[in-house]
Amino acid sequence: MATTSKEKHMYPLLDLHCDTLYALKEDPLAGDLLANTLHVDVERMEQAGAITSCFAIFVDWEESPSPWKGACALHDLFLSSLEMYGDRIRQVRTSAEILNNTTAGALLTCEEGEILEGDLSRLEVLQSWGVRMASLLWNHENSLGYPHTMPSMPLKPLGIEAISEMERLGIVVDVSHLSDAGFRSVLEHARKPFAASHSNSRECTPVSRNLTDEMLRALGEVGGVSGLTLCPSFLTSEKRASSISDMVRHAKHMLNVGGSSILAIGTDFDGIGGELAIEDISGMERLWDALGKAGFSQSEREGMWQKNALRVFSA
Ligand SMILES: [Zn+2]
């Protein structure tokens, strides 16, 4: 089968996090899933090569009377978008579907466990929608646990219960945004590999959203992944725009500490502001090239681009 030069050049990418659904809902004038003024759309996914994006169902529940209804509304938006452009983007639910898909791919995830409103049986509904990864919380304390700004607070009992229920249903536990003690709770109770879908190295940039070396080591030991995020303030604390070399520096450190199987990509496109070194999904090839020039092997980059995350989804 003939492939374009683009496809040959950059390995297929599985991006573990974007907030495009929420951004489209918040700003209908931005366009739709096919073409918009945001960071991710089908046209630019196609330009970039073979891309599967994890589209997060995100609700800022302190501003939403019913987080569950908010989640249902975003799911409706997802379904109607895919129905409209089904020949260009397809929902994928399994590793095999990701690998065999010939269009742009859309994997559903969740960011904010309060979507459940404390009712773990809703995880079965999320699973039936095709949700394959979910973060326990965002930046607010919720019924499952505490955010990164409250580092000493462990998971609540319902959060611990949620872990085994998610594992039973094949939903990967996502620890991005979680408190440090919450991370240790997951480490203690998880029986399967878990993910930090969009978090960098705290040793490189000391913000609580990034992972300490101890966390990276632990995550590597259980076969988990951390998705390198392009959020400028998680890439550099200096008063300048972040750069691709900041991304390479974080990736190198994460690999050195957690091992090559820990690396993934979790851009956080459409959830981040500021001056971006890579402005949208069509520019990811520049990072692929920069990593190659910095000495990352082909297999390390393939692991980071897709294979490591697929291993976690398949576990
Ligand atoms: Zn986030």
Side-chain angles (χ1 to χ4, degrees):
M1 192 180 78
T3 54
T4 69
S5 58
K6 209 76 172 179
E7 281 165 344
K8 270 183 193 160
H9 183 70
M10 188 177 89
Y11 196 72
L13 173 64
L14 173 55
D15 180 2
L16 292 180
H17 191 79
C18 75
D19 282 308
T20 309
L21 290 178
Y22 181 77
L24 286 172
K25 187 88 186 163
E26 289 291 288
D27 182 9
L29 295 178
D32 64 10
L33 194 60
L34 181 67
N36 60 52
T37 55
L38 306 169
H39 298 148
V40 178
D41 60 28
V42 174
E43 288 185 349
R44 283 172 291 169
M45 289 169 82
E46 288 172 348
Q47 272 173 38
I51 307 272
T52 302
S53 288
C54 291
F55 288 94
I57 292 176
F58 165 74
V59 175
D60 186 353
W61 68 274
E62 287 203 330
E63 290 177 3
S64 171
S66 166
W68 175 248
K69 280 190 187 143
C72 291
L74 276 197
H75 181 235
D76 288 345
L77 174 67
F78 177 77
L79 289 182
S80 60
S81 304
L82 262 66
E83 202 171 312
M84 243 186 298
Y85 305 116
D87 54 335
R88 308 269 296 267
I89 183 164
R90 257 178 238 138
Q91 182 175 11
V92 287
R93 294 164 183 258
T94 63
S95 297
E97 285 179 10
I98 292 170
L99 290 169
N100 295 329
N101 186 28
T102 53
T103 67
L107 188 69
L108 263 188
T109 59
C110 285
E111 182 175 42
E112 178 51 84
E114 200 54 30
I115 284 169
L116 306 171
E117 297 180 359
D119 178 359
L120 296 188
S121 72
R122 286 193 166 125
L123 284 167
E124 291 192 11
V125 181
L126 295 180
Q127 203 267 356
S128 73
W129 290 356
V131 169
R132 292 295 176 264
M133 177 167 65
S135 78
L136 297 171
L137 44 74
W138 186 58
N139 289 336
H140 311 303
E141 178 192 344
N142 68 12
S143 55
L144 307 181
Y146 302 85
H148 58 103
T149 47
M150 304 167 80
S152 64
M153 303 299 286
L155 275 188
K156 296 180 181 180
L158 195 65
I160 291 169
E161 226 180 292
I163 294 172
S164 52
E165 187 58 7
M166 288 167 74
E167 289 184 336
R168 185 182 73 81
L169 293 167
I171 299 174
V172 173
V173 176
D174 180 359
V175 296
S176 282
H177 289 271
L178 193 57
S179 65
D180 290 3
F183 180 101
R184 288 191 289 273
S185 303
V186 175
L187 193 62
E188 186 187 342
H189 294 280
R191 295 290 164 263
K192 290 184 178 177
F194 58 95
S197 67
H198 54 305
S199 294
N200 294 340
S201 151
R202 204 181 296 177
E203 180 67 23
C204 295
T205 303
V207 293
S208 55
R209 272 284 285 102
N210 286 341
L211 302 181
T212 64
D213 283 359
E214 190 189 342
M215 291 169 168
L216 287 169
R217 225 169 272 127
L219 196 55
E221 277 166 16
V222 298
V225 285
S226 184
L228 183 80
T229 167
L230 277 43
C231 177
S233 57
F234 303 164
L235 284 168
T236 176
S237 45
E238 291 167 42
K239 286 194 171 33
R240 58 169 173 78
S242 63
S243 63
I244 291 183
S245 63
D246 290 319
M247 298 171 197
V248 172
R249 183 169 56 96
H250 275 267
K252 252 188 191 163
H253 186 82
M254 289 157 79
L255 182 145
N256 286 340
V257 173
S260 62
S261 64
I262 200 178
L263 278 175
I265 293 282
T267 59
D268 205 1
F269 277 139
D270 291 322
I272 52 179
E275 206 178 318
L276 302 185
I278 294 175
E279 285 164 2
D280 61 52
I281 192 73
S282 70
M284 291 304 289
E285 192 171 11
R286 291 168 56 213
L287 179 56
W288 172 265
D289 289 342
L291 289 164
K293 282 195 189 105
F296 281 70
S297 68
Q298 179 75 18
S299 81
E300 284 168 344
R301 286 187 294 166
E302 288 180 6
M304 183 174 183
W305 244 238
Q306 188 190 59
K307 288 181 178 171
N308 293 336
L310 280 184
R311 185 192 68 236
V312 173
F313 282 120
S314 307

